[in-house]
Amino acid sequence: MLNQPPPQDFSDFLDWRSLNESRTELLPQHLQQAARVSKLIHLSEQRWQVYLYSLAVLGFEQWLQERAPDLRLQSDSASIWQPALANLLAVACNIQVSDFKICLITASSLTDQHSVPFAALDIPRFVAHFYILIQVEEEQKQVAVSGFMNYEEYHRYQQTTQLKIDADWTYTLPSTWFNSDLNTLLLNLRCLQAEAIQMPKIIPITENNPIKELRQKLTKLGSQLKTRHPWELLTVKEGTTLLSNPELVNLAYEGASTSVTQPAINVSLWLRDRIDELSQELGWILIPFPVLSAMRSLQEEFDNIRAGLEQQGVNISPAARGAYRNLESERGCLRMYVITWMLTETPEKPEWVLLVALKPQLQAQIPKKLKLEVRDQTQILFEESLQDTNQSILYAQVVGDRDERFWVSVKVDDTVFDFPPFGLELEAAI
């Protein structure tokens, strides 16, 4: 570490008034975005935790921009923005600051102990270089950074104390494990090499008996997953297998999603060159049709997508409209296009097309593996993987009626992106 003193007891500093220097104001749009994210969570108790963690991420971004604008932060891949994962794991892992992985932990001002999901500390895909405590005062619309520790420190403390995992799959960590000197945190983020903190290796997932057995168990549990916490239904060992495997995480979420009403991305508005609030908050950007010549790079990229699809026998209707957003992971950067148009417009039975296309961004690192899945409420309609991501476009096309919704999931190497369902909400568009 860079001139980092040993962790000190800063319980006297936990009073909110003593955190003036680290306090950051939350903006109205932060509260709105956090509320939108929380609505995608099935369990009501978990929904509130996800709301607070969403505010923690947005507040931390604001704080870092104010205190250290030279540090590059990327939070698109944060676990809290992935509904399937956040439904099981209320914590904000996989935030990137420069070359460091960051995990945010919401801290209480009323206690000197902090509850942290064991997965954030013990499962390699979630482990972070630094764990940062964030106090969230939702009523005051403020957050404050109050302490941090690095992974090696946690590992050393754990070897000494042998903390046990609580019944709700969390560890209870004392405040004394965290350093309250935030200048030291910023110094480490600026000057330390990520390799200086030894991290556990991420072992590639292979199909084995525990995974097969857990897949069968999750299928049987089905709707129970929407009303009961996973630790009420599974052992810690099964929880480790579940949270280590993105496909099992999706399966658990899908089992609860079939009978849960979710807000949908309203593509009927896209057909009128409008975009709904949910789409905007999730980062979708409308594609102007025809693509404006002023947007030359977008025009060239979309023309390449169109030409590639036409070579595979897929023709985009001149009346089509759509939107795109970027998907960024540790190992690659993609652009995801979602295009829609009407097949029939009879009031009795309107039919519409949903076309999803994925293509690595130009001059960006190319992921090694890419998987696209589209499903409706009852079954998977499309599932395909792409190994040569440098040469091909991965796409899916489905047709629905006015009452159908489609869920899309994209896996980029080991990162899974889930989205709210896409639907044709005609009444809302009027």
Side-chain angles (χ1 to χ4, degrees):
M1 286 303 96
L2 300 176
N3 301 320
Q4 180 168 322
Q8 53 191 287
D9 184 353
F10 64 98
S11 57
D12 291 339
F13 296 91
L14 284 176
D15 190 306
W16 181 255
R17 291 170 296 180
S18 69
L19 294 170
N20 287 332
E21 292 185 0
S22 69
R23 215 166 33 173
T24 297
E25 301 291 330
L26 291 168
L27 303 176
Q29 55 265 37
H30 292 157
L31 300 175
Q32 294 169 4
Q33 183 175 348
R36 284 285 185 182
V37 172
S38 68
K39 288 180 181 178
L40 302 175
I41 305 304
H42 303 322
L43 296 169
S44 57
E45 303 94 329
Q46 186 89 338
R47 199 172 296 138
W48 175 248
Q49 293 301 317
V50 169
Y51 176 70
L52 293 180
Y53 267 104
S54 299
L55 293 179
V57 175
L58 298 169
F60 178 71
E61 290 178 348
Q62 187 87 0
W63 178 82
L64 195 66
Q65 177 62 31
E66 294 169 359
R67 291 287 300 271
D70 55 304
L71 291 175
R72 175 175 49 85
L73 183 145
Q74 176 58 254
S75 66
D76 287 355
S77 299
S79 58
I80 205 69
W81 305 140
Q82 301 175 41
L85 191 52
N87 194 62
L88 300 169
L89 185 65
V91 70
C93 301
N94 295 337
I95 298 168
Q96 198 79 18
V97 176
S98 298
D99 294 329
F100 296 99
K101 289 179 65 177
I102 303 296
C103 178
L104 302 183
I105 300 167
T106 57
S108 171
S109 60
L110 304 177
T111 178
D112 60 356
Q113 293 185 322
H114 310 291
S115 181
V116 184
F118 84 95
L121 296 158
D122 293 349
I123 295 181
R125 66 181 289 230
F126 302 118
V127 166
H129 293 91
F130 291 102
Y131 295 87
I132 301 176
L133 287 176
I134 307 285
Q135 288 188 24
V136 180
E137 292 291 328
E138 192 263 348
E139 291 186 1
Q140 284 75 31
K141 299 180 175 58
Q142 295 175 336
V143 302
V145 182
S146 60
F148 75 99
M149 71 173 176
N150 67 54
Y151 175 74
E152 286 187 345
E153 289 170 334
Y154 158 72
H155 188 64
R156 185 166 62 250
Y157 298 146
Q158 176 63 304
Q159 286 183 322
T160 302
T161 60
Q162 295 294 308
L163 282 180
K164 302 298 182 183
I165 299 175
D166 296 330
D168 62 352
W169 290 2
T170 64
Y171 286 118
T172 301
L173 305 186
S175 291
T176 53
W177 285 18
F178 294 85
N179 187 337
S180 62
D181 187 349
L182 303 184
N183 288 326
T184 299
L185 169 63
L186 295 176
L187 179 65
N188 278 281
L189 292 175
R190 284 193 176 101
C191 303
L192 191 68
Q193 296 294 319
E195 294 77 14
I197 301 174
Q198 188 172 358
M199 302 275 279
K201 293 183 179 180
I202 299 178
I203 301 174
I205 298 172
T206 57
E207 188 74 10
N208 53 43
N209 287 333
I211 290 177
K212 292 178 182 178
E213 292 171 0
L214 184 54
R215 183 181 291 113
Q216 294 173 353
K217 185 171 183 177
L218 291 172
T219 302
K220 292 179 181 178
L221 288 172
S223 60
Q224 292 186 60
L225 295 167
K226 71 175 181 178
T227 57
R228 300 181 64 185
H229 289 288
W231 54 82
E232 298 176 302
L233 303 167
L234 304 173
T235 65
V236 171
K237 186 175 182 180
E238 289 173 328
T240 301
T241 301
L242 168 62
L243 292 168
S244 300
N245 190 316
E247 293 188 18
L248 292 181
V249 168
N250 284 339
L251 179 62
Y253 189 69
E254 290 165 7
S257 295
T258 54
S259 55
V260 174
T261 301
Q262 289 180 269
I265 294 175
N266 186 3
V267 299
S268 65
L269 288 175
W270 297 5
L271 295 170
R272 300 171 61 182
D273 294 316
R274 293 166 53 194
I275 193 166
D276 60 312
E277 186 178 355
L278 177 59
S279 300
Q280 286 182 311
E281 291 180 355
L282 293 176
W284 292 96
I285 301 173
L286 278 179
I287 304 171
F289 278 78
V291 180
L292 300 178
S293 58
M295 303 174 68
R296 188 173 301 277
S297 61
L298 178 61
Q299 181 181 29
E300 292 177 354
E301 185 172 311
F302 187 75
D303 285 345
N304 289 335
I305 291 281
R306 185 194 298 270
L309 292 175
E310 287 178 349
Q311 290 178 1
Q312 300 181 62
V314 179
N315 294 305
I316 299 176
S317 167
R321 296 292 185 271
Y324 72 92
R325 62 161 290 177
N326 297 329
L327 307 180
E328 298 188 10
S329 67
E330 292 183 16
R331 300 181 183 176
C333 187
L334 297 171
R335 180 157 287 175
M336 176 178 177
Y337 290 91
V338 175
I339 312 298
T340 187
W341 64 91
M342 300 298 296
L343 275 184
T344 62
E345 299 190 36
T346 56
E348 298 78 16
K349 192 178 180 181
E351 289 187 321
W352 57 290
V353 177
L354 185 74
L355 173 64
V356 182
L358 298 167
K359 180 72 174 176
Q361 290 193 40
L362 296 175
Q363 300 179 340
Q365 185 178 0
I366 298 173
K368 295 180 180 179
K369 296 179 182 179
L370 187 59
K371 182 178 179 180
L372 175 62
E373 179 184 292
V374 181
R375 62 181 177 83
D376 61 15
Q377 274 197 315
T378 61
Q379 63 183 327
I380 295 176
L381 304 175
F382 176 91
E383 184 178 19
E384 188 171 326
S385 299
L386 188 64
Q387 301 296 329
D388 188 359
T389 55
N390 192 31
Q391 300 296 327
S392 304
I393 299 169
L394 185 57
Y395 76 94
Q397 180 174 284
V398 292
V399 177
D401 60 32
R402 68 182 302 156
D403 297 321
E404 285 190 275
R405 292 180 172 188
F406 300 105
W407 284 258
V408 177
S409 176
V410 178
K411 183 178 180 183
V412 185
D413 291 324
D414 294 325
T415 302
V416 178
F417 297 90
D418 290 303
F419 308 94
F422 295 88
L424 189 73
E425 309 288 338
L426 291 175
E427 291 80 3
I430 296 175

